Amino acid sequence: MVTNWAGNVVFAARALHRPTSVAQLQELVAGSERIRALGSGHSFSRIADTTGDLVTLAGLPPVVDIDAAAGTATIGAGLRYGEVTPRLHEAGFALPNLGSLPHIAVAGACATGTHGSGNDNGALATAVSAVELMGADGELRTVRRGDPDFAGSVVALGGLGIVTALTLDLQPAFGVRQWVYEGLALGDAEEVLASAYSVSLFTYWEGDGFEQAWVKQRDTDPEPPARWLGATRADAQRHMVRGVDPGHCTPQLGEPGAWHERLPHFRLAFTPSTGEELQSEYFVPRAALPDALRALDAIRDRIAQVLLVSEIRTVAADDLWLSLAEGRDSAALHFTWVPDAAAVLPVVAAVEAAVEPFAPRPHWGKVFGMSPATVSGRWPRLPEFRKLLAEHDPAGKFRNEMLDRYVPA
Ligand SMILES: Cc1cc2nc3c(=O)[nH]c(=O)nc-3n(C[C@H](O)[C@H](O)[C@H](O)COP(=O)(O)OP(=O)(O)OC[C@H]3O[C@@H](n4cnc5c(N)ncnc54)[C@H](O)[C@@H]3O)c2cc1C
């Protein structure tokens, strides 16, 4: 039995394959009727599932090919961020942003529009400048930024084929310090989110506002004050979920460190988050954040029944067709739930009803209940993506139930 990381999805695949070369992968893909790639399995939705063959690229050579002159790295698609980023750092380079955990595969993260935080930081897929894809016949093709189909081929939900390599834009390595502030008002959210390179706000929807704000600064920025907007800087390391060991988190308290050891919340060697949970997340236009927070606050008692913690982040607009931030600077409203789908799903429906006036887009990799018509209406470029799927996968080899539901042929 193969499951996702959370254990809430038992994959329907008849087999999980682990090729060790591109040639083996080609043979597998060409000979299979239905096949999907599995990243590190950290999605909570059935996005990676298939009734055919599931294939992990984790056994392929761990290529990280840095082109210092071009400022790019071409990496094997099976690699996880935690395997790629130290090698980039050693060579003097960085990625602009990272998600909350280094445990996820780069290709799997980019396929669902995974993001970190920062008003000026795009989703992780915005660092991709080229995608090498294996099509239904096993042949490889490369789609580069500037090609007509590029914007539909990065956040592609695994539907265009097996991504075998990604080229990522690099920038010079940089240092980051993170502080945790405690006790911020809901009304100060926009100011706090705009105050540093990457900021996350955490709330249990119990008190007057945010229990914690995690402020990640470039280490060249001036140290923030000990008291700020009525909040106090924590004097010890914190975890955002009550009762979980703070040692699982990347160092706080302003201790300087490399970008890849501070931008994620969690350390690679430890379980990220709680390990027993479900997650949901919705992107709304950033300008709607104050109203969306008030709408959620109005149903706080329902949310709190099944909540472990909520996180609010910001993501800059991009032009990737299925990106959660496509065409709009966004605020991301995240919920870590108890691992009880029966109890959580009615609350997910209540959250979706509360934020519906703000045209929410659900995270493709998390739990949501919105109707297919509503979901597809939220992405203006989805009809073009449907055409792209029809063109590159006419027999539906890479389709699955989730694509059939939200992006029907
Ligand atoms: C503890 C925890 C924290 C999280 N934090 C964040 C966060 O900070 N921000 C955020 O946005 N999300 C977050 N997520 C969600 C997670 O990042 C996404 O669901 C992400 O897509 C998971 O990547 P993965 O490698 O596990 O992909 P999987 O779940 O394995 O697969 C996701 C999709 O990618 C496709 N795919 C994978 N590899 C390939 C390939 N080689 N070629 C083609 N398609 C491929 C799969 O078919 C599937 O459609 C978190 C999840 C967990 C469990």
Side-chain angles (χ1 to χ4, degrees):
M1 185 173 85
V2 183
T3 72
N4 65 342
W5 172 84
N8 68 309
V9 173
V10 177
F11 293 115
R14 62 177 174 219
L16 173 65
H17 304 268
R18 192 185 159 95
T20 53
S21 68
V22 172
Q24 276 179 18
L25 179 66
Q26 283 178 308
E27 199 179 322
L28 178 69
V29 170
S32 176
E33 274 179 27
R34 284 216 143 197
I35 187 162
R36 300 272 299 177
L38 179 65
S40 57
H42 282 82
S43 294
F44 297 84
S45 67
R46 303 199 73 95
I47 189 74
D49 202 12
T50 175
T51 50
D53 295 295
L54 209 47
V55 58
T56 168
L57 275 56
L60 291 183
V63 176
V64 177
D65 189 4
I66 297 172
D67 182 337
T72 62
T74 299
I75 61 151
L79 290 173
R80 300 183 297 158
Y81 276 100
E83 294 163 330
V84 173
T85 55
R87 291 168 70 179
L88 301 181
H89 185 72
E90 274 162 30
F93 291 104
L95 296 173
N97 206 4
L98 293 168
S100 71
L101 72 175
H103 308 63
I104 47 177
V106 180
C110 291
T112 63
T114 292
H115 61 95
S117 190
N119 282 6
D120 298 327
N121 289 325
L124 307 191
T126 59
V128 174
S129 66
V131 188
E132 184 184 76
L133 278 158
M134 187 177 288
D137 54 3
E139 293 303 311
L140 291 171
R141 67 190 175 96
T142 300
V143 191
R144 294 183 177 81
R145 194 182 281 141
D147 292 348
D149 294 345
F150 176 77
S153 304
V154 188
V155 182
L157 313 180
L160 286 175
I162 312 295
V163 175
T164 47
L166 290 163
T167 303
L168 306 172
D169 291 335
L170 304 178
Q171 54 176 256
F174 57 95
V176 173
R177 297 183 292 186
Q178 72 176 326
W179 278 274
V180 173
Y181 280 85
E182 295 178 300
L184 280 149
L186 221 52
D188 289 330
E190 287 175 293
E191 181 175 347
V192 179
L193 287 163
S195 69
Y197 188 73
S198 170
V199 178
S200 289
L201 300 173
F202 293 97
T203 177
Y204 308 119
W205 299 105
E206 283 175 357
D208 294 334
F210 300 101
E211 275 74 12
Q212 297 178 5
W214 291 29
V215 176
K216 299 172 194 256
Q217 282 191 325
R218 304 280 290 233
D219 66 359
T220 45
D221 292 338
E223 180 171 334
R227 285 191 65 79
W228 176 44
L229 297 171
T232 317
R233 225 164 60 183
D235 57 5
Q237 175 92 0
R238 298 281 189 254
H239 197 288
M240 72 288 281
V241 180
R242 286 179 181 136
V244 185
D245 183 353
H248 295 193
C249 298
T250 51
Q252 303 160 7
L253 300 164
E255 184 187 317
W259 57 282
H260 64 294
E261 293 173 344
R262 295 293 181 277
L263 291 175
H265 300 330
F266 305 110
R267 298 164 68 185
L268 184 61
F270 294 87
T271 301
S273 194
T274 72
E276 289 183 27
E277 64 199 60
L278 295 173
Q279 294 186 7
S280 303
E281 189 167 39
Y282 301 92
F283 271 46
V284 297
R286 193 191 300 159
L289 178 63
D291 289 338
L293 289 176
R294 274 192 288 275
L296 291 170
D297 199 39
I299 59 162
R300 56 159 54 197
D301 292 345
R302 292 215 64 193
I303 294 174
Q305 282 166 5
V306 289
L307 186 80
L308 294 174
V309 72
S310 254
E311 180 175 11
I312 312 298
R313 288 176 280 185
T314 51
V315 184
D318 63 54
D319 64 352
L320 302 174
W321 297 351
L322 293 194
S323 170
L324 302 160
E326 189 274 330
R328 54 191 212 188
D329 284 330
S330 298
L333 315 169
H334 165 93
F335 305 83
T336 302
W337 308 114
V338 297
D340 178 352
V344 164
L345 288 176
V347 182
V348 165
V351 165
E352 291 179 358
V355 296
E356 179 57 26
F358 317 109
R361 289 174 177 164
H363 193 308
W364 294 108
K366 301 189 182 181
V367 174
F368 60 93
M370 292 160 65
S371 75
T374 305
V375 170
S376 53
R378 291 283 140 79
W379 276 276
R381 313 295 293 271
L382 194 127
E384 287 159 84
F385 181 66
R386 184 181 289 142
K387 276 193 212 145
L388 206 57
L389 288 184
E391 183 188 338
H392 290 289
D393 184 25
K397 183 177 276 200
F398 302 113
R399 282 193 156 273
N400 65 4
E401 199 190 328
M402 203 167 149
L403 277 179
D404 288 345
R405 198 166 149 75
Y406 298 105
V407 196

